[in-house]
């Protein structure tokens, strides 16, 4: 019987998919359309759903649409890494467009004054699509949604546009969308084949989900490190939308999901009313999906906890974020638990939810505008109770790292100030130009709390993503949440890097302390120019200044450049790397003299990073991005496919991001390379392979997790609670070890999302970083895991022949915003011969 039903489903869906679809399948029946407005097919040459839209065609349609109507304007807000435009359409009635600036001003004023009227004020809805490029039904539905809003002559749409300003972001992730469209289209057969084994449904590594550097951009709404997020967040803060929707796809066997998500997993800083309004809006989705006979669910999965996701970020900014998840056809048509799932069906569900959102917005306009007004009014009242309170953060040795946290605040329109003079708080020194102060009494005070708070108590023990993101810990900056505003100087309006310089020309030597964030960038330039540089293994004092471990010495004599050219070269690169270089005229110091054997010669790194099948693409992308965009260091991406044929002698350093390791022959090959003097830097799950293949003698603690009194129904939650989704832990540093050069404190905060607990070495000097006894700083970890983590180590360095294996259990490069631990990787590379 079951088989028979499936066959019927197959047959109907199949014949449907082979037939040509037309617009009537997608669009509401009640509407007539303005013939002078081009349909997507008129411009892109195929019906929506017949092929996967490429981003260039999508852009072409959006420009054509904007040119055809006074309901829509279009702007290009910047470029992706691959140079694609980041488009935003503003869709509203022609009358609203005439006064769009006044509408925006009134909208923002309502978030800043204690009285405001909702009458005559449009509601602002931001609609965005397919932030994961291989979840394309959203962006394809966007073509239809935009067409409908611009071309429909129905009174419903006219009334909607009178009452709504729609900020329409047709593709959140142009590079990923393009990559996936290429895959799905090039593998499409004329005779659509729903067999899930077909190549069409098996994307190659790294897939189209991510952007150019393989980042999941739906984690970057808070850190804003990527160009796509930067453009989007600017639009967001410019408008403060009341509703923001985020259209995704999930597994092929699922149906359709809309928020609210799991109620107990809502961030406690989000107002209760936010979730109630989300429920109110959900009624409209349910009604619309009922009408077209689509199955759906709510509240059973996904959450609203991490504010770095598109559907959660608005919740701490006075808006309402809504996540949509559609079962993915992945290609054009695929078998699923619910019968044949076609791409057009997925598109139609997304379109339906996009339009039901707008209907809800129009009907709930007054309620939602009032909610936003009160959100900011209540926030102001909370803030005024802390009128004199402020947060200070900084690092007296590293202006660039401080700058980059300040830059995030600036992107979120959070106000901050210079400090008016150097001061000390809780034993930490805050230096002018190297520290900023954030008053609590400001408009975005709730966002400030969400970014700076440490949280270790939770209602739920399951998290869809990270459970902590405390920014000053991610940056490893000194900070205090309890200073007074009396330390505040001028508000920072133009944030600029501390300027780099060389103190003068020397005929003897130059010294560069290693603390600044961009020191690896200039050191790489120096070594790439075949200039000699050395690193100080000890601290010393010269001209009354203390130089820390890791100070770089550049002698003047016997260099490839003469004294003048060397000075010019260093000056240029000091500026580009924002570092201070001291010219000195003598080798005599208090401590090690400049000719001492405790200054060790450095060699130019030649770096390869393993990518491809078996490697976690996020981790690989983070490392590629770090070298390529921050430090301007060339790295070779070695694909696992061609590893066997590659001559490894070209490299002295190979980085293996989290991965399943190498096969037997490849393992033999890399072993020989290490024994000949190579440095292998391995991360996270790669350590299991390191241990198994005996490349490094490392030991893990075993954690026994036996379920006691756990019912069958609760087994998933029990297991889930033992994951570390991502939390922040404290460790002690031995600053005299080269892996820790450049860190000025004896403590460090580490990001961890693995349950590998590595035992320390029996010799204490081989444990330069060690978790404290009670290491949790912020985020969720189960009690058994916390007990296991206590006093273990995140790092082991082992010799093998003439080479070295560096093993990290933790991710030092997390999502491009964990600036605080990037230097650990740089130290493993530049000081590899001293480890
Ligand atoms: Zn997604």
């Amino acid at each position: 019987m079951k088989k028979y039903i499936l066959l019927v489903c197959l047959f109907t869906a199949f014949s449907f998919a082979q037939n040509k679809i037309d617009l009537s399948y997608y669009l509401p029946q009640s509407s007539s359309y303005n013939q002078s407005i081009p349909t997507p097919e008129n411009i892109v040459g195929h019906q929506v759903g017949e092929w996967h839209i490429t981003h260039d065609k999508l852009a072409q349609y959006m420009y054509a649409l904007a040119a055809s109507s006074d309901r829509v304007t279009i702007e290009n807000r910047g470029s992706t890494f691959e140079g694609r435009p980041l488009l935003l359409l503003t869709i509203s009635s022609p009358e609203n467009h005439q006064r769009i600036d006044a509408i925006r001003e009134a909208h923002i004023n309502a978030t800043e004054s204690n009285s405001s009227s909702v009458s005559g004020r449009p509601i602002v809805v931001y609609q965005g699509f397919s932030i994961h490029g291989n979840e394309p039904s959203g962006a394809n539905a966007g073509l239809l949604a935009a067409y409908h809003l611009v071309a429909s002559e129905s009174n419903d749409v006219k009334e909607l546009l009178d009452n709504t300003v729609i900020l329409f972001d047709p593709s959140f992730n142009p590079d990923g969308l393009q990559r996936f469209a290429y895959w799905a289209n090039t593998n499409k057969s004329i005779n659509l084949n729903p067999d899930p084994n077909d190549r069409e449904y098996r994307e190659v590594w790294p897939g189209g989900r991510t952007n150019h550097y393989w980042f999941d951009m739906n984690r970057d709404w808070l850190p804003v490190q990527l160009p796509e997020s930067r453009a989007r967040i600017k639009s967001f803060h410019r408008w403060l939308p009341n509703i923001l929707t985020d259209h995704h796809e999930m597994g092929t066997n699922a149906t359709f999901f809309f928020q609210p998500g799991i109620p107990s997993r809502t961030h406690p800083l989000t107002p209760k009313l936010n979730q109630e309004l989300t429920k109110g809006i959900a009624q409209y989705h349910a009604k619309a999906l009922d009408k077209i006979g689509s199955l759906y669910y709510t509240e059973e999965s996904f959450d609203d906890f991490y504010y770095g996701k598109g559907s959660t970020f608005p919740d701490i900014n006075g808006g309402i974020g809504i996540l949509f998840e559609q079962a993915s056809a992945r290609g054009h048509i695929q078998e699923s638990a619910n019968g044949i799932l076609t791409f057009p069906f997925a598109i139609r569900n997304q379109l339906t939810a996009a339009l039901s959102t707008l209907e809800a917005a129009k009907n709930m306009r007054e309620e939602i505008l009032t909610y936003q007004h009160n959100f900011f009014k209540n926030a102001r009242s909370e803030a005024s109770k802390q009128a004199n309170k402020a947060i200070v953060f900084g690092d007296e040795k590293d202006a660039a790292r401080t700058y980059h946290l300040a830059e995030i605040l600036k992107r979120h329109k959070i106000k901050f100030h210079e400090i008016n003079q150097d001061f000390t708080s809780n034993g930490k020194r805050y230096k002018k130009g190297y520290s900023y102060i954030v008053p609590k009494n400001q408009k975005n005070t709730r966002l400030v709390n969400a970014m700076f708070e440490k949280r270790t108590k939770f209602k739920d023990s399951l998290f869809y993503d990270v459970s902590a993101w405390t920014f000053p810990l991610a940056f490893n900056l000194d900070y205090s949440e309890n200073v007074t505003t009396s330390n505040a100087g001028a508000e920072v309006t133009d944030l600029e890097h501390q300027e780099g310089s060389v103190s003068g020309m020397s005929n003897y030597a130059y010294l560069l302390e290693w603390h600044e964030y961009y020191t690896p960038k200039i050191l790489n330039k120096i070594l790439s120019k075949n200039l000699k540089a050395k690193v100080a293994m000890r601290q010393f004092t010269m001209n009354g200044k203390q130089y820390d471990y890791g100070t770089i010495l550049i002698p003047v004599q016997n260099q490839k450049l003469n004294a003048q050219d060397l000075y010019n070269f260093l000056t240029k690169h000091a500026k580009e790397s924002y570092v201070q270089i001291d010219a000195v005229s003598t080798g005599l110091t208090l401590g090690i003299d400049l000719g001492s054997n405790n200054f060790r010669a450095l060699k130019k790194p030649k770096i390869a990073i393993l990518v491809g099948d078996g490697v976690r693409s996020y981790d690989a992308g983070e490392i590629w991005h770090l070298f390529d965009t921050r430090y301007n260091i060339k790295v070779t991406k070695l694909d696992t496919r061609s590893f066997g044929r590659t001559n490894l002698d070209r490299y002295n350093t190979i980085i293996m991001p989290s991965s399943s390791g190498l096969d037997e022959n490849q393992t033999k090959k890399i072993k020989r390379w290490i024994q000949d003097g190579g440095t292998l830097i391995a991360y996270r799950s790669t350590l299991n392979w390191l241990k198994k293949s005996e490349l490094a003698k490392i030991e893990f603690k075993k954690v026994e997790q036996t379920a006691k009194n756990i019912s069958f129904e609760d087994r998933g939650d029990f297991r889930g609670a033992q994951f570390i989704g991502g939390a922040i832990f404290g460790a002690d540093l031995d600053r005299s070890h080269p892996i820790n050069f450049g860190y000025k404190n004896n403590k460090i905060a580490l990001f961890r999302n693995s349950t590998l607990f590595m035992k320390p070495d029996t010799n204490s000097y081989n444990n330069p970083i060690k978790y404290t006894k009670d290491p949790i700083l912020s985020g969720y970890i189960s009690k058994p895991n916390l007990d296991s983590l206590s006093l273990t180590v995140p790092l082991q360095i082992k010799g093998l022949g003439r080479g070295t294996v560096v093993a990290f259990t933790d991710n030092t490069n997390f999502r491009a915003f964990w600036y605080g631990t990037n230097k650990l990787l740089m130290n493993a590379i530049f000081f590899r011969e001293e480890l």
Side-chain angles (χ1 to χ4, degrees), residues 130-135 209 216 218-219 246-250 302 323-325 330 464:
S130 300
I131 199 161
H132 297 139
N134 62 2
E135 300 174 4
R209 176 183 174 89
D216 182 339
N218 197 33
R219 304 295 182 265
D246 187 19
H247 291 255
H248 288 250
E249 288 185 2
M250 55 183 163
F302 302 104
L323 171 70
F324 295 121
E325 295 272 356
R330 207 59 76 190
Y464 184 76

Side-chain angles (χ1 to χ4, degrees), residues 237-359:
H237 286 301
R238 197 175 130 71
W239 271 100
L240 290 178
N242 299 95
I243 300 175
L244 184 144
T245 53
D246 187 19
H247 291 255
H248 288 250
E249 288 185 2
M250 55 183 163
T252 305
N253 291 326
T255 58
F256 189 84
F257 168 86
F258 50 83
Q259 274 182 327
I262 296 172
S264 61
R265 298 183 204 164
T266 303
H267 199 289
L269 293 178
T270 297
K272 290 230 160 26
L273 189 51
N274 170 295
Q275 294 294 301
E276 283 164 31
L277 289 168
T278 304
K279 250 187 179 166
I281 295 168
Q283 304 297 321
Y284 288 83
H285 310 317
K287 206 174 89 192
L289 290 163
D290 286 344
K291 209 168 154 190
I292 60 168
S294 267
L295 293 173
Y296 55 82
Y297 73 101
T298 71
E299 293 192 312
E300 280 179 74
S301 53
F302 302 104
D303 70 8
D304 251 334
F305 193 83
Y306 171 45
Y307 288 120
K309 289 187 301 170
S311 50
T312 310
F313 177 75
D315 301 344
I316 195 68
N317 287 289
I320 300 163
I322 294 173
L323 171 70
F324 295 121
E325 295 272 356
Q326 160 65 39
S328 184
R330 207 59 76 190
H332 292 84
I333 180 172
Q334 202 184 147
E335 290 166 12
S336 83
N338 298 304
I340 293 288
L341 173 59
T342 70
F343 188 39
F345 177 78
I347 294 172
R348 186 172 66 162
N349 281 345
Q350 298 276 20
L351 173 68
T352 302
L355 299 183
S356 58
T357 301
L358 293 173
E359 197 195 343

